[in-house]
Amino acid sequence: MKQVIKFFREDLLFSFSLLLAIIAIIFGRFSIQDINFKVIVTLAGLMLVISGLDMSGILSYFGQFLVKKSFSFRQLLRYIVLLSFFSSMFLTNDVAILTLLPIYLRLTKIIDNRQPVLLGTVYIIAAANLGSSFFPFGNPQNLFLYSYYHIPLLKFFSATSLIAISSLILLMISIQFIPKEPIRITLTDNQFDRPKAVGFGVLMLIMIGGVFGLIDYFLALAIVAIIVLFWQPQLFKNVDYRLLATFAFFFVIVGNLSQSESIITWLQSIFTNYENTLLGSILTSQVISNVPAAILLAPFTKYHQSLLLGVNIGGLGTLIASLANLIGYKIIRIQVPSERKLFLRNFYLVNGIFLLLLTLSFSLIS
């Protein structure tokens, strides 16, 4: 019983969505057609591939390479933030944070002034969240919205490029306020597994082909799964099956909500224009996280561009606004437990400012 309780407490979003899905089925109905299998299948394949790329050590290699080029703390932070931002576009925000944040914390232990160090951890997390918004496969909410609305690729990039450019400028300006203290770090040689990096890079292209409809997504997953099964079978342990199940649960919940005319009328009356959809999706993300916010709101608004912007900007703000935020907090809690309070103060200060500035900027677009 203790193990069961622990299992459900470890991922409250999974547990909450399971409970709601059960309630929805009991008082409503269950239809397999409510579940978007393209999103779940594609996400599963991407998890396998990204886990393999992470295992190859390529991201750690580039991190160490940039650290060697750093002669000041500000320069070190700028390089790590840039790597977090651009790597998250391809490897997702979770992997960027899981790889780069521990490296950064390990390297900065020698720095006595902890305020700028903890401020840097917040920038790294924010960079991963914002950078992952660029591509359809960069994060789960993008993958879902791209599939659900069948957004033309140019229109998708016209929205996400606005986030990428504005947030990158915001991050670079913010880093200029970090002290430019000299830093000398001694590193051991760190190589990456080239055959694995190339192999998983090819598999990544296959999954991207599935995302863009160049290859059947079931076929893409089958190819990736078979190769991984015979090549690196341990990677199946790294797939976040609870996240995949959470997607399925929310599809069931939304499918039942869509059967209620009163709920449909009420939600559609709220999301009647660009600005309402933008602000509504940002606020919803703060409460239930941006991935379920995207799934919940998509059936009730036609303003897919503002919803796409809202759930990606909405990853800033509270700790639960994005699962990547929680991952970053867990790393802080494990590696520097005595600095959790300082981290949280910096986290809410920076995220609050970034969220306010980006929200105001994109509200003016309307």
Side-chain angles (χ1 to χ4, degrees):
M1 181 58 69
K2 288 182 179 180
Q3 291 298 319
V4 172
I5 294 173
K6 181 182 178 182
F7 175 82
F8 286 104
R9 288 184 64 182
E10 283 178 349
D11 192 335
L12 294 178
L13 181 60
F14 165 83
S15 305
F16 182 63
S17 61
L18 171 60
L19 177 62
L20 290 181
I22 292 172
I23 294 172
I25 292 171
I26 291 173
F27 293 98
R29 64 41 157 174
F30 173 77
S31 174
I32 197 72
Q33 294 178 346
D34 289 335
I35 300 176
N36 189 326
F37 283 103
K38 180 177 181 179
V39 172
I40 294 176
V41 165
T42 306
L43 188 58
L46 287 170
M47 285 179 179
L48 281 173
V49 173
I50 291 167
S51 180
L53 283 170
D54 185 38
M55 184 181 66
S56 73
I58 188 168
L59 190 55
S60 296
Y61 171 80
F62 282 112
Q64 299 273 20
F65 174 79
L66 292 176
V67 167
K68 290 179 182 178
K69 302 294 182 180
S70 304
F71 298 100
S72 69
F73 175 66
R74 183 192 295 171
Q75 192 175 40
L76 168 66
L77 182 57
R78 183 183 297 116
Y79 285 152
I80 294 288
V81 165
L82 285 171
L83 185 58
S84 177
F85 186 85
F86 288 106
S87 66
S88 67
M89 293 181 179
F90 302 93
L91 301 179
T92 75
N93 46 3
D94 295 356
V95 172
I97 292 170
L98 281 168
T99 304
L100 296 176
L101 192 56
I103 293 174
Y104 171 79
L105 289 171
R106 188 166 61 249
L107 293 173
T108 54
K109 278 187 175 180
I110 60 173
I111 298 176
D112 294 327
N113 187 0
R114 303 308 294 170
Q115 167 61 20
V117 171
L118 270 296
L119 198 58
T121 63
V122 178
Y123 291 153
I124 292 169
I125 295 170
N129 273 323
L130 294 166
S132 69
S133 67
F134 186 67
F135 285 119
F137 49 83
N139 55 47
Q141 66 268 20
N142 279 11
L143 183 61
F144 166 72
L145 293 174
Y146 178 77
S147 173
Y148 182 86
Y149 286 110
H150 305 288
I151 306 174
L153 199 55
L154 288 179
K155 282 191 175 181
F156 184 93
F157 284 135
S158 70
T160 59
S161 60
L162 291 174
I163 300 177
I165 294 170
S166 57
S167 59
L168 185 59
I169 292 172
L170 187 58
L171 283 164
M172 292 301 100
I173 291 174
S174 300
I175 290 173
Q176 287 302 113
F177 293 95
I178 295 292
K180 192 177 179 181
E181 298 177 3
I183 186 172
R184 292 289 182 271
I185 298 173
T186 304
L187 296 173
T188 57
D189 289 335
N190 182 37
Q191 299 298 318
F192 66 96
D193 192 321
R194 294 179 186 273
K196 284 183 181 178
V198 172
F200 283 107
V202 172
L203 293 182
M204 183 68 171
L205 292 177
I206 292 174
M207 288 309 307
I208 292 174
V211 172
F212 292 143
L214 302 176
I215 180 175
D216 182 82
Y217 57 92
F218 273 112
L219 178 59
L221 176 64
I223 294 171
V224 168
I226 291 171
I227 292 175
V228 171
L229 181 63
F230 288 98
W231 185 27
Q232 300 290 331
Q234 71 274 19
L235 293 182
F236 283 94
K237 296 180 181 179
N238 297 337
V239 174
D240 191 343
Y241 296 103
R242 280 191 285 198
L243 179 59
L244 298 178
T246 301
F247 265 79
F249 298 151
F250 270 99
F251 287 139
V252 171
I253 295 164
V254 173
N256 277 274
L257 290 175
S258 301
Q259 300 301 307
S260 171
E261 291 186 10
S262 59
I263 292 177
I264 293 174
T265 303
W266 175 63
L267 287 172
Q268 288 180 341
S269 68
I270 297 174
F271 301 102
T272 53
N273 55 47
Y274 173 97
E275 190 168 17
N276 284 2
T277 304
L278 177 70
L279 296 176
S281 55
I282 290 173
L283 291 174
T284 306
S285 297
Q286 303 310 302
V287 181
I288 65 172
S289 185
N290 52 6
V291 175
I295 299 172
L296 177 64
L297 301 179
F300 307 107
T301 179
K302 63 179 181 179
Y303 295 94
H304 58 76
Q305 185 179 36
S306 55
L307 180 58
L308 178 64
L309 291 169
V311 294
N312 278 293
I313 296 171
L316 302 170
T318 63
L319 274 179
I320 63 172
S322 167
L323 295 178
N325 293 344
L326 290 174
I327 290 172
Y329 176 67
K330 287 179 181 178
I331 293 172
I332 296 294
R333 192 174 62 187
I334 292 171
Q335 291 209 9
V336 285
S338 61
E339 297 176 345
R340 283 184 298 173
K341 290 184 178 179
L342 182 57
F343 167 79
L344 288 174
R345 283 201 297 268
N346 282 289
F347 178 88
Y348 282 112
L349 175 64
V350 171
N351 274 261
I353 294 172
F354 280 18
L355 183 61
L356 179 62
L357 291 175
L358 291 174
T359 301
L360 289 174
S361 299
F362 286 105
S363 294
L364 293 174
I365 294 175
S366 63

